[in-house]
Amino acid sequence: MNLAVELIVLILNELDIKAIHVCMRVSKSFNALIKNSFCLQYHITLLSHGFIDGPGYLSRYPTTSSRQQALLDTEDSWFNLRPRMTTAIKEGNRCDFARFADGVWATYGSHQGIGLCLTLSALPSILAGTGLEDLTIQSRIIKLEANFVDFGVEPRHDLLILVEKSTELPGLVSQPSLSMNHFDHTDRYLSYLFHLRTLSQNRRHPKASLEYIELCIPLPPTDGENDQHFLYEVSGPVIVILMALKRNGTLSRSYLRVFNWETGDVLLNHDGGDRIISSFAYVTTDVLMLAEYVTPLTSDGPAPQLTLWSLRTIDFKLRLVKLQTLRLPPVKDGKNFPEYKDELLTLDEFNIVADSGLTEDASSSSPLCPFRVDVKNRIFLVALKIYMVGLRDSDDHPEPITFSICIPFTTILKAIHSGQLLGDPAMQVLADDQNDFSSRAAGDYQRDVKSEECEHIGLDWEDWGGQGACLNETNTNSYDFSVSGMRCSYLHEQGRLIVMDFSPSAIKKGKDARPIDIGDVQLWPKRPRPGDLGFGSELFDIKTRGEEVLFVQTEHHLPHAEGVIIDMEHVLILNKHNVDVWMM
């Protein structure tokens, strides 16, 4: 059967990079067709860097070759960690707190002569060709009439979320799933209003039927003050909110809420009880990955673990259905977390760092950018910060040890379809009963589950991490990590910016790079490498390294930096007051 060349190119353009390489070995004619097609070569270049094509026609990029050249220039800048242009946001780091999303740097704080305000700064873009005239970043100030405890920006939806702590008992109109019975057992509660505004004009969002959505949390009967930490992400009309309570600097309780921010409907309530959800990330539009552990940690209880959940509509209600459990590496010498030799392991941070907003449709991405990150080719970073406390000397001041676990999307996908996919009745019952999300702890439900059945739920480290994950000792705070596509970055001690690139293109470039001769010694600064276990080889019982996930590491010295954030084409360097902006 003879097919037109154009039709063959269209078919090949739907394949992944491995399948295309197989096709190149089918025949000489296929090999020549793929090598001589600008369209297919651009497609291969995109996949090897972890991207997919962007909008159809762009006047700035009229041809396939112009798009490919833009991609190669950007990636070459990243590989050498040399910006093509630089600018700065003056006083951009003088604030109470800040957010960064889709090229917008937003800060909240008091401005001289104005009072409390929100400052929005749109970053210049080489790829989109915006803001390059004089590289002066123009900021817009929004005066605020009330004091807010947190905020979020979602430029894709022109959405500004302002979080206000309510001082009165919340009404039950916007949270019909709640009843007064939730407050019968305690007179202590927290109530927050999530105001839904437009980012462009700071007005009530036209897609939101309610001015705000209301979140009410009954506090556990404990003494002392509780600090609140929010984490939320928007995917289409759905917003997932994680609220974690901290007491004496330690997470003590967590609450997961899912709303439809356009209608104001409460889709899901979950109180973890003794099971703390410290972080979450979207894997796909309907799959969440949670970082979970039980407090207090005991040797006969479950160790910290990652869990994968599906958001499914069952009987016209959104349910949280468990897909898989991913256990972390076990402690050596047959010990159970938190026991290690003559010491106890204290979990200080357990966070998932990932790109946000990537699970949405291409129409929501930048309309001027010629390509975008492929959701199927990205990295999830799990930061695990541990203290080792000596049992004999309680006055010791232990140094923390931080490990990063970089997990490719494909590893998560394989894990979902591996092993026994058994649901966790504790979580499912809580998710099913929206009207009783706080009266019973997870442990009450867990007693109904056979212990031998629980022991076989999920995958051990060797079954999933050994099939494709990168464990690395990094020794930095979890908030110093940043992820964009297949790149992870963090600020190491003494101001060392480290960028880890997991893309196939960077690996190939690293393998082809030449060594640098320094005297009689040859250095390979770009050679692909696996993770450096460091002290992890002494702490964790890792039998085999499994399938090595390689990356190319690039470093840059930033002696005055307090933090670094990256996206597809920017590096934001947070200094004492200003924010330096690199355009790659």
Side-chain angles (χ1 to χ4, degrees):
M1 180 175 62
N2 294 323
L3 295 177
V5 173
E6 293 80 4
L7 184 56
I8 296 175
V9 169
L10 286 175
I11 294 173
L12 294 176
N13 208 43
E14 297 297 321
L15 302 180
D16 61 28
I17 194 167
K18 290 184 179 180
I20 292 177
H21 286 159
V22 170
C23 291
M24 293 179 71
R25 295 193 293 269
V26 169
S27 66
K28 291 183 179 179
S29 59
F30 258 51
N31 189 293
L33 173 63
I34 293 172
K35 286 185 176 180
N36 295 326
S37 170
F38 284 115
C39 181
L40 289 176
Q41 287 302 306
Y42 175 53
H43 180 61
I44 292 172
T45 305
L46 283 170
L47 293 178
S48 65
H49 290 88
F51 296 104
I52 56 177
D53 202 14
Y57 176 77
L58 295 173
S59 59
R60 185 175 175 84
Y61 304 99
T63 64
T64 299
S65 58
S66 63
R67 290 184 179 227
Q68 182 167 1
Q69 191 59 51
L71 174 60
L72 293 175
D73 290 342
T74 303
E75 293 304 291
D76 184 67
S77 179
W78 276 109
F79 186 76
N80 296 296
L81 206 53
R82 293 176 183 171
R84 289 186 281 172
M85 295 182 180
T86 61
T87 184
I89 306 174
K90 301 298 182 183
E91 303 295 314
N93 201 30
R94 192 189 289 272
C95 58
D96 295 336
F97 38 91
R99 298 287 181 266
F100 180 57
D102 297 330
V104 176
W105 178 252
T107 60
Y108 172 88
S110 181
H111 196 282
Q112 187 175 4
I114 299 178
L116 287 175
C117 62
L118 203 65
T119 304
L120 306 175
S121 304
L123 304 186
S125 170
I126 295 177
L127 290 175
T130 56
L132 303 178
E133 293 77 12
D134 55 2
L135 294 181
T136 300
I137 297 179
Q138 301 296 329
S139 299
R140 182 166 62 93
I141 297 177
I142 299 176
K143 187 178 184 338
L144 301 176
E145 302 299 332
N147 187 20
F148 297 98
V149 296
D150 204 351
F151 80 100
V153 292
E154 292 291 339
R156 286 180 175 88
H157 302 280
D158 189 27
L159 179 62
L160 169 64
I161 304 171
L162 297 172
V163 186
E164 180 185 8
K165 189 173 183 179
S166 177
T167 57
E168 298 180 3
L169 185 68
L172 302 178
V173 176
S174 60
Q175 288 208 41
S177 65
L178 298 183
S179 67
M180 290 302 294
N181 292 333
H182 293 292
F183 306 99
D184 290 344
H185 68 285
T186 179
D187 58 355
R188 304 175 69 243
Y189 58 89
L190 292 173
S191 177
Y192 292 89
L193 307 180
F194 289 72
H195 296 266
L196 305 172
R197 315 285 290 176
T198 58
L199 192 59
S200 56
Q201 298 179 325
N202 189 28
R203 296 179 179 176
R204 177 174 170 175
H205 203 288
K207 289 186 177 181
S209 60
L210 299 175
E211 185 177 349
Y212 57 81
I213 54 179
E214 205 165 47
L215 177 62
C216 186
I217 303 297
L219 281 174
T222 57
D223 297 329
E225 294 296 324
N226 290 276
D227 296 325
Q228 298 84 52
H229 170 71
F230 292 98
L231 180 64
Y232 33 82
E233 188 168 339
V234 176
S235 179
V238 175
I239 178 172
V240 180
I241 301 175
L242 174 65
M243 178 181 176
L245 297 181
K246 280 188 174 182
R247 187 169 179 268
N248 299 325
T250 303
L251 290 179
S252 59
R253 197 94 171 189
S254 62
Y255 304 89
L256 191 69
R257 300 288 185 271
V258 182
F259 294 91
N260 184 318
W261 65 270
E262 293 182 357
T263 64
D265 293 334
V266 182
L267 304 179
L268 181 72
N269 286 313
H270 171 61
D271 173 2
D274 292 335
R275 181 176 300 190
I276 301 296
I277 301 174
S278 56
S279 183
F280 78 91
Y282 266 107
V283 178
T284 65
T285 53
D286 59 352
V287 175
L288 292 176
M289 178 163 60
L290 308 182
E292 294 185 85
Y293 62 95
V294 173
T295 179
L297 288 168
T298 59
S299 58
D300 57 350
Q305 58 191 14
L306 300 170
T307 54
L308 297 168
W309 300 87
S310 175
L311 290 167
R312 298 180 185 175
T313 302
I314 303 175
D315 297 333
F316 305 103
K317 292 183 179 180
L318 192 68
R319 310 279 178 92
L320 205 58
V321 180
K322 191 167 190 178
L323 297 177
Q324 195 57 274
T325 295
L326 308 180
R327 297 191 184 92
L328 301 184
V331 178
K332 270 196 171 181
D333 300 326
K335 298 286 188 178
N336 292 327
F337 205 98
E339 294 181 355
Y340 172 71
K341 295 183 178 180
D342 292 330
E343 296 174 296
L344 285 178
L345 305 177
T346 302
L347 188 63
D348 187 63
E349 295 176 6
F350 185 28
N351 294 327
I352 304 172
V353 186
D355 257 334
S356 61
L358 292 184
T359 57
E360 299 193 38
D361 185 73
S363 61
S364 63
S365 60
S366 173
L368 300 178
C369 190
F371 45 84
R372 59 191 177 92
V373 173
D374 183 6
V375 297
K376 299 177 182 178
N377 288 287
R378 56 191 175 121
I379 291 290
F380 295 84
L381 186 146
V382 178
L384 191 68
K385 187 176 180 181
I386 298 172
Y387 282 92
M388 299 180 63
V389 181
L391 297 179
R392 298 179 180 178
D393 188 359
S394 60
D395 295 328
D396 287 345
H397 298 284
E399 291 293 327
I401 307 169
T402 305
F403 298 95
S404 65
I405 305 175
C406 295
I407 312 171
F409 176 89
T410 52
T411 298
I412 298 175
L413 199 62
K414 287 188 292 185
I416 290 177
H417 300 287
S418 299
Q420 287 184 286
L421 304 182
L422 298 178
D424 184 344
M427 202 71 153
Q428 287 185 358
V429 172
L430 282 171
D432 288 348
D433 189 358
Q434 294 191 36
N435 291 321
D436 188 15
F437 66 93
S438 62
S439 60
R440 296 177 66 186
D444 295 333
Y445 296 105
Q446 191 68 22
R447 296 189 190 98
D448 299 330
V449 186
K450 295 180 180 179
S451 59
E452 60 269 18
E453 181 183 37
C454 293
E455 291 176 359
H456 294 90
I457 295 177
L459 298 175
D460 291 330
W461 167 261
E462 296 297 328
D463 296 325
W464 72 271
Q467 302 302 314
C470 178
L471 181 62
N472 201 33
E473 182 181 353
T474 49
N475 288 336
T476 189
N477 295 311
S478 63
Y479 53 78
D480 285 331
F481 289 102
S482 183
V483 174
S484 176
M486 301 192 77
R487 294 189 189 92
C488 305
S489 72
Y490 62 95
L491 193 63
H492 205 270
E493 57 189 7
Q494 299 176 348
R496 291 166 54 213
L497 166 61
I498 295 178
V499 176
M500 301 181 292
D501 195 331
F502 292 83
S503 67
S505 175
I507 301 301
K508 186 179 184 304
K509 278 186 179 181
K511 290 179 178 178
D512 296 340
R514 296 182 177 180
I516 300 175
D517 294 323
I518 301 180
D520 297 332
V521 180
Q522 284 190 331
L523 297 179
W524 298 80
K526 302 286 187 179
R527 173 174 283 182
R529 49 178 288 187
D532 181 9
L533 291 180
F535 186 73
S537 59
E538 300 292 329
L539 177 62
F540 298 118
D541 187 11
I542 301 178
K543 298 176 183 178
T544 62
R545 297 193 67 92
E547 181 182 334
E548 288 187 334
V549 177
L550 302 178
F551 62 91
V552 171
Q553 179 169 305
T554 310
E555 300 185 16
H556 196 286
H557 188 51
L558 301 171
H560 304 297
E562 297 179 351
V564 174
I565 304 173
I566 65 172
D567 69 0
M568 189 175 74
E569 60 167 324
H570 297 101
V571 178
L572 274 66
I573 304 167
L574 313 183
N575 298 309
K576 186 174 182 181
H577 298 306
N578 302 329
V579 177
D580 294 333
V581 180
W582 290 2
M583 287 161 283
M584 311 301 283

